[in-house]
Amino acid sequence: QVTLKESGPVLAKPTETLTLTCSVSGFSLSSSRMGVSWIRQPPGKALEWLAHIFSSDEKSYSTSLKNRLTISKDTSKSQVVLTMTNVDPLDTATYYCARTPRVITIRGGFGYFDLWGRGTLVTVSS
Amino acid sequence: SYELTQPPSVSVSPGQTARITCSGDKLGDKYASWYQQKPGQSPVLVIYQDSKRPSGIPERFSASNSGNTATLTISGTQAMDEADYYCLAWDSSTVLFGGGTKLTVL
């Protein structure tokens, strides 16, 4: 059974660095063409993709947030970590991690989010 | 920057067909996937690679992607299909969600 579980602080203060951990089970972070993504959702608002990392260690970031985000993985611990610097109340959201298969076709490569964690709500407030 | 546009809301009667659109410049050149999210729950993948249905997703869910529009179609809509639906576009330079559509079954 594949599971993903997010963990991190419930509350963060403005300007702090936020560290979120996604612990996975039922699949390996070294599996070919498999990755993990982080997605967030402010209360009552839409989903927003933040970053992903694949088994090859290829990483990609949201253009609007790339200067503040770092994604990494520890295959031996089955964990993917996202850090976000200089947080602001606008970063208040439920943060999800999702398993991300990568598919290669004649049109190029793409991914999608086939299994999601339950999410962790992070509130940024002084 | 690239944008994906979804209608904020769509209403459908039980048993009828619901269509939810997702529009973006040359969206058909990218790969689309669709996610269902019920209140208080995590999103669930219902369509990937434009039109493929994951195992466990009912056959009444189908989709297409061509030109500037991707469309999610729910045939014989049931009350349990009431949810928010999000499209996602993915290519070598884009990973982007649409703004979401609230599907009401009434």
Side-chain angles (χ1 to χ4, degrees), chain A:
Chain A
Q1 180 187 4
V2 173
T3 64
L4 302 97
K5 185 174 182 179
E6 306 87 350
S7 59
V10 174
L11 184 64
K13 289 183 166 51
T15 76
E16 288 184 340
T17 294
L18 175 65
T19 299
L20 298 170
T21 301
C22 177
S23 300
V24 310
S25 64
F27 73 101
S28 172
L29 295 177
S30 62
S31 297
S32 178
R33 295 181 180 172
M34 189 61 71
V36 170
S37 300
W38 283 95
I39 298 123
R40 71 178 180 180
Q41 185 173 39
K45 296 192 175 181
L47 300 169
E48 178 184 17
W49 170 77
L50 300 177
H52 64 235
I53 185 167
F54 286 106
S55 54
S56 60
D57 211 37
E58 175 190 341
K59 305 166 189 176
S60 186
Y61 298 97
S62 162
T63 301
S64 61
L65 291 168
K66 67 181 303 180
N67 292 334
R68 300 172 52 208
L69 298 176
T70 303
I71 192 169
S72 62
K73 64 182 173 74
D74 186 331
T75 302
S76 64
K77 292 184 178 179
S78 295
Q79 292 180 335
V80 173
V81 175
L82 182 75
T83 62
M84 177 183 290
T85 61
N86 194 27
V87 296
D88 178 270
L90 290 175
D91 297 313
T92 294
T94 296
Y95 287 77
Y96 297 98
C97 60
R99 191 176 74 164
T100 308
R102 182 168 192 171
V103 181
I104 306 297
T105 73
I106 58 173
R107 284 168 54 190
F110 73 97
Y112 55 94
F113 313 128
D114 69 341
L115 291 166
W116 296 59
R118 298 183 67 175
T120 185
L121 174 61
V122 179
T123 300
V124 180
S125 174
S126 55

Side-chain angles (χ1 to χ4, degrees), chain A residues 6 37 39 41 45-49 52 54 60 63 96 100-101 103 105-119, chain B residues 27-31 33 35 37 41-45 47-50 65 84 86 88 90-100:
Chain A
E6 306 87 350
S37 300
I39 298 123
Q41 185 173 39
K45 296 192 175 181
L47 300 169
E48 178 184 17
W49 170 77
H52 64 235
F54 286 106
S60 186
T63 301
Y96 297 98
T100 308
V103 181
T105 73
I106 58 173
R107 284 168 54 190
F110 73 97
Y112 55 94
F113 313 128
D114 69 341
L115 291 166
W116 296 59
R118 298 183 67 175
Chain B
L27 178 56
D29 291 345
K30 307 180 191 299
Y31 283 103
S33 51
Y35 302 84
Q37 186 180 32
Q41 298 184 18
S42 301
V44 172
L45 175 71
I47 295 288
Y48 69 100
Q49 200 171 341
D50 293 339
N65 182 21
D84 293 329
Y86 294 90
L88 176 83
W90 190 309
D91 69 3
S92 59
S93 60
T94 303
V95 183
L96 184 69
F97 282 102

